[in-house]
Amino acid sequence: MISPILALAITLGFVMIGLAILLNVWRLFAGPTRGDRILALDTMVINSIALIVLFGINEGTTMYFESALLFAMVGFVGTVAYAKFLLRGDIVE
């Protein structure tokens, strides 16, 4: 059973993270440079991880933490690969 204060905090967390994801989407499409778009995509991955973890806390299960860990690894590798491609024009040397 979740206490009312924790339920309020989780609800506020969902709202704030949702707002942050919307702002990331805006930066992703309106970013003036490709670096801004990479940063927006990386931040969107981090906010999505926070959303998954918050959902896991809300459901009271640890199953979502493992998926958040996998999503973090995939997001990190994707961001590094895209940034390396922009800097050097090739991912594999």
Side-chain angles (χ1 to χ4, degrees):
M1 187 72 189
I2 297 177
S3 70
I5 295 175
L6 183 60
L8 179 66
I10 289 172
T11 303
L12 286 175
F14 277 128
V15 169
M16 295 296 181
I17 293 172
L19 181 65
I21 289 175
L22 285 177
L23 291 173
N24 289 332
V25 168
W26 175 75
R27 176 53 67 189
L28 184 66
F29 289 114
T33 65
R34 291 183 287 186
D36 291 334
R37 291 187 172 112
I38 291 173
L39 188 61
L41 195 61
D42 189 45
T43 308
M44 191 182 311
V45 168
I46 292 169
N47 287 329
S48 299
I49 292 166
L51 198 62
I52 291 170
V53 169
L54 198 60
F55 188 72
I57 292 171
N58 190 31
E59 292 295 319
T61 180
T62 59
M63 183 177 69
Y64 295 102
F65 297 123
E66 295 172 2
S67 65
L69 181 65
L70 290 174
F71 193 58
M73 289 191 297
V74 170
F76 175 74
V77 170
T79 302
V80 169
Y82 194 54
K84 189 174 177 182
F85 178 74
L86 285 180
L87 287 176
R88 298 184 182 170
D90 192 12
I91 296 174
V92 179
E93 294 178 18

